[in-house]
Amino acid sequence: MMYKRMAGLMILLVLAGILTANIIDQNKNNSAASNSNEYDVSGDTSVRGGTIAPVESVGIKPGELAPEIELETADGSKFKLSDLRGKKVLLNFWATWCPPCKEEMPAMQAFYDTYQDEIEVIAINFEEKDQKVRDFINNSDYTYMVPMDEDGAVGKEYGVYTIPTTYFIGTDGIVQQPRRVGPMTYEFMEEMLHALN
């Protein structure tokens, strides 16, 4: 009789152990599934998930019409992108505080000096106060056009999240090459010029 009780107690303990192990395993799987790579980066506590888009999925893609831009330039004139229809355009977004931007600017000027009859170089300053930009340009030898996107609305429409970012627009107003994120060399700009229609 005592052996039957011991055997029954052993069976109950084994079953309880199996049940406990299954519950723990199920909780681990549920916890892993609900937490896998999900982080609230928005700061909005009402948000229930989201994704971080890869760089290539953001911005204007080749084959798309470049959205219209109307901005004031550093020299006080008005800039309208559609006024350049019929010309090739290198459209660059930059800022005075950005070392890679400042690194590519002399190459952009040299490129502009050589090819200004074939392509327009437009360097849109992204999200800075106009006087700071004017002071920077006035203390430099850059002669290409510098529109000012003080509130960042144009840059956001173009999907600019990192600067420098450059678009290559053909004579038809269509973005014809993948955008360039990061500084450009003179040789790269030449390559893009010859790839545009």
Side-chain angles (χ1 to χ4, degrees), residues 90 107-108 111 184-193:
L90 181 154
M108 286 173 58
F111 175 77
M184 300 176 291
T185 63
Y186 183 93
E187 293 75 22
F188 178 79
M189 288 182 264
E190 276 188 320
E191 182 183 326
M192 291 298 101
L193 166 64

Side-chain angles (χ1 to χ4, degrees), residues 20-38:
T20 302
N22 283 340
I23 289 172
I24 290 171
D25 189 46
Q26 185 175 4
N27 285 341
K28 279 185 187 176
N29 290 340
N30 288 343
S31 177
S34 66
N35 291 330
S36 64
N37 297 327
E38 292 181 12

Side-chain angles (χ1 to χ4, degrees), residues 9-111:
L9 188 56
M10 292 284 279
I11 291 172
L12 279 175
L13 287 173
V14 169
L15 289 175
I18 291 171
L19 180 62
T20 302
N22 283 340
I23 289 172
I24 290 171
D25 189 46
Q26 185 175 4
N27 285 341
K28 279 185 187 176
N29 290 340
N30 288 343
S31 177
S34 66
N35 291 330
S36 64
N37 297 327
E38 292 181 12
Y39 297 95
D40 178 13
V41 295
S42 69
D44 183 355
T45 57
S46 67
V47 172
R48 292 196 45 127
T51 61
I52 297 173
V55 171
E56 62 273 5
S57 71
V58 180
I60 312 304
K61 295 176 182 57
E64 294 180 355
L65 181 66
E68 179 65 282
I69 299 171
E70 291 186 53
L71 294 170
E72 184 176 325
T73 66
D75 68 5
S77 60
K78 300 291 181 193
F79 167 73
K80 189 173 179 182
L81 182 61
S82 59
D83 288 345
L84 300 180
R85 194 67 53 87
K87 298 180 180 182
K88 298 175 182 180
V89 177
L90 181 154
L91 185 68
N92 177 266
F93 290 85
W94 69 285
T96 62
W97 52 263
C98 166
C101 299
K102 291 192 273 188
E103 174 187 320
E104 76 178 351
M105 291 178 91
M108 286 173 58
Q109 183 62 50
F111 175 77

Side-chain angles (χ1 to χ4, degrees), residues 88 111 118-119 168-171 174-178 187-197:
K88 298 175 182 180
F111 175 77
E118 297 179 52
I119 190 167
F168 307 96
I169 303 168
T171 56
I174 302 292
V175 173
Q176 294 186 356
Q177 297 294 320
E187 293 75 22
F188 178 79
M189 288 182 264
E190 276 188 320
E191 182 183 326
M192 291 298 101
L193 166 64
H194 299 308
L196 294 175
N197 295 321

Side-chain angles (χ1 to χ4, degrees), residues 113-173:
D113 289 343
T114 304
Y115 294 105
Q116 63 187 303
D117 293 335
E118 297 179 52
I119 190 167
E120 293 289 333
V121 174
I122 309 298
I124 297 178
N125 180 267
F126 184 58
E127 291 188 330
E128 290 189 277
K129 299 295 179 200
D130 63 352
Q131 192 56 51
K132 182 176 186 176
V133 179
R134 284 188 172 98
D135 291 346
F136 181 86
I137 294 301
N138 289 338
N139 292 322
S140 72
D141 295 322
Y142 304 126
T143 58
Y144 44 77
M145 190 175 299
V146 181
M148 295 178 301
D149 184 19
E150 193 172 325
D151 64 1
V154 171
K156 288 174 185 141
E157 184 174 9
Y158 274 76
V160 175
Y161 295 99
T162 301
I163 53 174
T165 292
T166 307
Y167 284 93
F168 307 96
I169 303 168
T171 56
D172 55 2

